[in-house]
Amino acid sequence: MSSELALQYLLAGITSGSVYAVVAIGFNIVYNATGIINFAQGEFVMLGAMTAITLHAYLPLPLAIASAVLLTALAGALVDLLFIRWLRRPTVLRMIIVTIGVSILMREAALKVWDEKVRSLPYFSGNEVSSVRIFGAFISPQVFWLLGLSAAMVLVLAIFFRFTLTGRSMRACSANRDAAALMGIDTRSMVTLSFAIAAAIGALAGCAVSPIAQTHYDCGAPLAIKGFTAAVLGGLGSSGGAVTAGLLLGILEAASVSVVPAAYRDAVAVLLLLVILSVRPSGLLAGRDEARLKEY
Amino acid sequence: MRAQTMIAATALLCAATWSAAADASVIKIGALFAVTGPASFLGAPEQRTAEMFVEQINAKGGLGGHRIVLIVKDTQGSPEKAVSFAKQLIEEEQVFAIIGPSTSGETMRIKGLCEESRTLLISCAAAEDIVKPVARYVFKTPQTDADAARRILDVLKKRKLSKVAILSSNTGFGSAGKKQLETLAPEYGITIAANETYDKTATDLTDVATKVKAANVQAVINWSIEPAQAIIAKNIRQIGLTVPLFQSHGFGNLSYAKAAGQAAEGIIFPCGRLLVADVLPAKHPQRAVLMKYKTDYEARYAPDAVSTFGGHVYDALLILVSAVETAGTDREKARAAIEKIQGLVGTAGVFNFSATDHCGLAKDAFEMLTVKNGRFVLYKD
């Protein structure tokens, strides 16, 4: 294989990897507050992008995205207020089942509000055919937006969860809800806030991946599966881990396509995931001791 | 008291069933469409078309004096659901005929079922396997995928492009098209240098495009119905491949061309004439039918909303109406009547059925189209 071609495969991997990475980050927020996986995260991604596409008909792109992020954050908070806050004993299993239900509900609602057609936001810079040339290989400029956005999200979230009182309170809820309540933390509001932030991050991710992956009512689940895989691989709760793992997953997929038929792309990726997780069950970047304290 | 209620309820239920079964003024037509799910691009316009058509017929006094009752089941594109809904339509509803399913995979799974129960099935899916070998009760309205493949290969041969890559999605539609291209390519002296299948929900296919680039081909043929066909178009152009890109007739939906934007320009694909109805010469035999369907549909739903897939349902219903008008509501006679239909103008082409041809369309039912300035126009070489 020529070095140009090898580089092109690497850039292809980074392209799909950047999509997985930016979606993966959203899984960590609800996890950090509740210890559960929010299975409606993919639908937040879809909802954000669909809303932005609709608003873009009336507003300039940055404003449309900002409004979509806000609206989706509201929808996220609403999901908690309507469906989760009322659970009398919010066990992990129950909350997972509720989020799965919510995801189906949101998908069906999107089909009714919009339709089955595929849409996309315009590329943030350039258009559908433009690409940046690096040593004879090509990459879409949108990938740089995705990488930049992922880095910004990781940084902001790290500061939020480590250094702000709200962020630390949120982590306390996940560690031990009763103890957090005894310390005077309003645990229920923390969960609501976590859903709002997760939805906002999902919506932002949805807008950024829309030019590459396109958006339709049913696009949430496939994105969420890859995003979830990356989040687990990176170690749940760690945003930096999610981004690293997302890129790694993309690069592994592209590498597999270069040697075996593309039909096996997902199979190869899942196989590697299983191998990595059997060696490091807590994920790539999460500490082992930390993982031992978690419920699963 | 409780027992009385039960008896009353049972009696009422029996009466209701009896009256429905014996109601001669009604003709039940079942429909299996993938209204939601990954193939909703097919099923949603199909459902809208069926509802519009049935309403129009019923407003005109029904089909041969019988009011049509349309029973739509959403298969979500899943063959398992198609099978159970088909059983329900056949056994419980005892429908006169079934329109659909939307996809080839689903149709193949219920082909035998309809044949055994002697239920008319007019499929809206393209694969040649549906009518080859012929099942007595199974017909289909879309042009055959083998003909789509032939039209593409014709263009390749004419332009002397002899080394191609085939891409297809992992669906019934994708694998059927891939099979046709693999079988037919040698006849046209065309070699397949790369042959890749990708996941129908793929979010980016730059790696697959890279593999195509590595194979040094002169043209790319992509065969899928999912949004991925717009993604692959973008990825191929992004990595600097400038060879002609051919798509299947599954590209016949303007929203794909819009999604691919600049990358859609110059894509060549075979398609029925519905999408170019307004630029057809006035004396073209199909123009009147096409314009009526297009104007009716777009007036009722949304401008520019018409897609070829809804047209397949329109044709299926036209065929059924024609059969019932000549032969009445006896299923056996109607079946024989369909086989005798000649020169019926539909949206997909002019149908000429026979006992051995249950598709009724020839290769010329396809027109080669291309994308120019975000619109579909006739392709000229």
Side-chain angles (χ1 to χ4, degrees), chain A residues 5 8-9 12 15 111 116 118 123 127-129 131 138 211-214 217-218 222-223 254 257 260-263 265, chain B residues 36-37 40-41 44 48 196-197 201 203-204 206-207 210-211 213-214 227 230-231 234 237-239 256 259-263:
Chain A
L5 203 57
Q8 185 61 66
Y9 274 118
T15 305
L111 179 62
E116 78 291 350
V118 52
Y123 279 73
N127 62 18
E128 294 82 2
V129 292
S131 53
F138 300 87
I212 292 180
Q214 304 174 158
Y217 81 96
D218 205 14
L223 283 171
V257 167
V260 295
R265 181 165 89 163
Chain B
T36 61
S40 57
F41 311 92
R48 290 184 206 123
E196 295 290 335
T197 305
T201 60
T203 49
D204 183 80
T206 311
D207 43 9
T210 306
K211 207 160 188 183
K213 196 178 186 186
I231 296 178
K234 289 189 285 189
R237 296 297 176 237
Q238 278 162 358
I239 63 162
Y256 293 131
Q262 200 62 39

Side-chain angles (χ1 to χ4, degrees), chain A residues 192-213:
Chain A
T192 311
L193 186 63
S194 76
F195 269 89
I197 298 175
I201 293 223
L204 197 55
C207 295
V209 303
S210 175
I212 292 180

Side-chain angles (χ1 to χ4, degrees), chain B residues 7-24:
Chain B
I7 292 165
T10 319
L12 208 68
L13 201 70
C14 290
T17 332
W18 180 79
S19 68
D23 191 353

Side-chain angles (χ1 to χ4, degrees), chain B residues 121-141:
Chain B
L121 178 73
I122 309 185
S123 170
C124 300
E128 195 176 34
D129 300 353
I130 296 168
V131 291
K132 199 178 173 183
V134 167
R136 276 164 53 83
Y137 289 85
V138 181
F139 299 83
K140 79 177 184 85
T141 54

